[in-house]
Amino acid sequence: MELLIDHVSKRFKDKKAVNNISLELTSGVWGLLGANGAGKTTLMRMITGQSEPGGGEMELFGASGKNMRSQRARTGAMIEIPSFSPFLTARENLEYYRLQRGIPGRHVVDEVLEQVDLVDTGKKKFKAFSLGMKQRLGLALALMNHPDFLILDEPINGLDPEGVAEFRQILRTLNQERQTTILISSHILSELSNVATRYGFMEQGKLLEEISAENLHD
């Protein structure tokens, strides 16, 4: 089991952003659906360690508490588009982060660029990238440590239909060929169609329902 969340809550002043959520996440592509402000990003920030739960317990690959820190090395995340230099190419930006994070082997950069179909961008600078290219470069950065578990917060938001289709195909390939477990959020159900194997629906910080893709289709 990649992730276990047991009655987790998070409060900001007088508002519960996450309200007593429990779920178990295993292999597959898990789609987290909800309107803006439903609590999706707050939940993902707690999973990735950017925010501490206000109550409840979490386990990542069977580890809880402080032991989760070592297990987070097996995860990759894109909570928002990372801060890339506008004047560097895709390869140069990723090489900067590779060196910063101490990831061995320059070949890793070429591998992830190929995975997200950015290997042929050449000398094109980040500032000239389309939104879809920027999103895919953010995904490439999240993949550099070869994660077993990938966490993506609304990565398809704002993409045109072609960009959505391209992004979905990349995620399907990661899950089916590399067995990467993926948690991906969106506020539009159709964006996750044909890619998610299970869905959870959030509203006002609560997990209203969890359902398989097959049952949702029926």
Side-chain angles (χ1 to χ4, degrees), residues 54-120:
E57 300 290 335
M58 302 179 69
E59 289 185 7
L60 187 63
F61 298 109
S64 60
K66 293 182 179 180
N67 294 326
M68 286 181 65
R69 295 176 184 172
S70 60
Q71 294 302 321
R72 286 195 175 104
R74 299 172 60 185
T75 69
M78 186 171 74
I79 304 299
E80 55 189 16
I81 297 179
S83 178
F84 291 116
S85 170
F87 303 105
L88 296 181
T89 66
R91 181 172 280 101
E92 289 167 345
N93 268 297
L94 291 185
E95 178 64 12
Y96 165 79
Y97 276 108
R98 184 188 72 82
L99 293 172
Q100 184 191 61
R101 297 179 180 184
I103 299 173
R106 296 187 66 178
H107 64 280
V108 170
V109 171
D110 289 320
E111 286 178 3
V112 295
L113 285 175
E114 185 172 354
Q115 282 181 262
V116 301
D117 197 25
L118 287 177
V119 74
D120 295 325

Side-chain angles (χ1 to χ4, degrees), residues 75-78 101 137-147 150 152:
T75 69
M78 186 171 74
R101 297 179 180 184
L137 187 61
L139 177 60
L141 178 59
L143 293 173
M144 280 215 297
N145 63 329
H146 303 296
L150 188 59
L152 306 172

Side-chain angles (χ1 to χ4, degrees), residues 1-19:
M1 182 183 302
E2 278 76 354
L3 177 68
L4 173 65
I5 296 177
D6 185 20
H7 298 289
V8 164
S9 296
K10 180 71 173 182
R11 178 183 290 276
F12 295 107
K13 295 184 179 179
D14 59 343
K15 179 184 177 182
K16 266 197 172 181
V18 172
N19 190 353

Side-chain angles (χ1 to χ4, degrees), residues 172-204:
R172 279 194 294 267
T173 300
L174 285 169
N175 177 247
Q176 294 170 8
E177 296 184 8
R178 297 177 178 266
Q179 285 74 57
T180 306
T181 298
I182 301 170
L183 173 62
I184 176 172
S185 74
S186 178
H187 59 278
I188 302 175
L189 178 59
S190 61
E191 288 184 344
L192 301 187
S193 63
N194 302 318
V195 62
T197 55
R198 195 162 189 85
Y199 295 89
F201 294 88
M202 286 188 68
E203 183 178 6
Q204 296 182 351

Side-chain angles (χ1 to χ4, degrees), residues 12-52:
F12 295 107
K13 295 184 179 179
D14 59 343
K15 179 184 177 182
K16 266 197 172 181
V18 172
N19 190 353
N20 199 35
I21 284 183
S22 296
L23 64 87
E24 297 180 8
L25 195 150
T26 55
S27 59
V29 181
W30 212 90
L32 189 62
L33 274 296
N36 293 331
K40 306 185 302 296
T41 299
T42 300
L43 181 62
M44 288 183 159
R45 288 185 179 278
M46 289 190 287
I47 296 169
T48 57
Q50 298 177 42
S51 179
E52 290 293 327

